[in-house]
Structures are given as C-alpha cells and as structure tokens.
Amino acid sequence: MALRVKAENVPVKKVVLSADQGQGSMVVRQAYGNESSLMMATRPPGYHTKPHMHVSEQINHVLEGEIWFFVEDQGYLCKKGDFHRIPANKVHWAWNRSQSDAVVVESHSPPLVGGEIIKGAAGLFDDGETPNLRGPGENQFVPYDHEAVERQVLSGEGKER
C-alpha cells in the first residue's frame, strides 16, 4: 500500500448491472482512503441505473460525453465539463441517453467501497498505516417511480436543471 498508486496498478473493473440494479455496464477505476473515494467510470449509451441511495455525498464531474443524473424529482443533463452534486441519503440514478460514452469522475465521502466494491479498488494508505475507513458505504437500491420522474422531466414539464 502507498499514498500513491500508478495508473497501471489501479484495477480496471467491468461492472455489469443486475436486473434489480438497472441495465447496462460500466468500466471503472477506483481508489479510496479513510474519508473519501474517487471513481472514474465510462458508461456506454443505454446505461441506466435504478434508483438507489447511499450515506455518501457524491460529486460528479463529466470528462467526456453527456449523461442525465436524477435526484428524486429533478433531472440534470450534465455535459462535458459540468459538475453535479448528489446529497447524502438522497434517491438518485443515472441514464446515458446519448449515442456516445459518458466518462464521469465521482467523489464519495465517506468512501463508497462497501461490500464487493472494495475488491476492485486501490487503497491509498502509507506504509505501516492501518486503514480506518469512515463508512464504508454502498449502494442501496430502493423502490421509486423513476419512470414517472423521467417522463415528466424529459417532456419538458419537470425540473431539468
């Protein structure tokens, strides 16, 4: 373990969504410390998560392409260069409705590396440092009428920001 990990030593992981998580897959690289995690995810056209929430505050930065982020009853079309925040414990989901990949960097605090996620992430800890993660959180998929929100937002009647 070290405070720095070279790019070639950060695992590249393909995450395929199960039916209860949404549709599609993404390719991720992720690193974490005690207080936060950082993930770079490439989401192809059609990627669509189901509503979920976590204890982590999340900040997104779109590096390439565009993607819709929904937070409860609001939709945000985020394009290259845009930043977007998802408050902790808010129901949210993402949908790449475009014809090209969306590359997004996500920060999470506390770290979002609970469960199986931690196996594909690089821990950034100094030699002799004992990891003491605050959290770690993980996604909790929840029932939410996301289709009604999407219809309303995408028809122009909702709160696209």
Side-chain angles (χ1 to χ4, degrees):
M1 292 193 288
L3 294 176
R4 176 186 67 110
V5 176
K6 292 186 175 192
E8 61 266 20
N9 295 325
V10 178
V12 176
K13 182 177 177 186
K14 183 173 184 176
V15 177
V16 178
L17 298 177
S18 65
D20 61 335
Q21 297 173 329
Q23 63 186 39
S25 63
M26 64 179 169
V27 176
V28 302
R29 298 178 80 159
Q30 188 172 18
Y32 65 95
N34 287 321
E35 298 290 328
S36 64
S37 60
L38 189 68
M39 178 176 76
M40 185 168 69
T42 302
R43 296 175 171 96
Y47 175 88
H48 190 239
T49 59
K50 288 196 174 173
H52 58 280
M53 57 192 300
H54 41 68
V55 299
S56 304
E57 177 178 65
Q58 177 176 332
I59 296 179
N60 303 313
H61 178 56
V62 180
L63 297 180
E64 296 292 333
E66 65 182 49
I67 191 165
W68 280 89
F69 292 110
F70 294 87
V71 180
E72 297 184 344
D73 67 343
Q74 299 179 38
Y76 303 86
L77 176 57
C78 295
K79 298 182 179 184
K80 182 179 180 177
D82 291 349
F83 287 83
H84 175 257
R85 176 177 166 259
I86 299 170
N89 298 307
K90 291 285 187 178
V91 175
H92 64 280
W93 64 98
W95 189 6
N96 182 353
R97 294 174 41 90
S98 78
Q99 298 301 311
S100 60
D101 287 352
V103 179
V104 180
V105 172
E106 299 180 5
S107 69
H108 301 96
S109 181
L112 191 64
V113 291
E116 291 292 310
I117 299 171
I118 200 165
K119 293 180 182 176
L124 299 173
F125 300 98
D126 206 358
D127 292 337
E129 182 181 6
T130 302
N132 185 20
L133 277 67
R134 185 171 63 94
E138 58 186 308
N139 291 336
Q140 296 175 303
F141 288 86
V142 297
Y144 195 87
D145 192 356
H146 68 283
E147 292 171 341
V149 172
E150 292 167 358
R151 277 192 305 274
Q152 185 176 30
V153 169
L154 298 173
S155 72
E157 299 171 16
K159 296 182 177 180
E160 186 264 317
R161 307 278 175 136

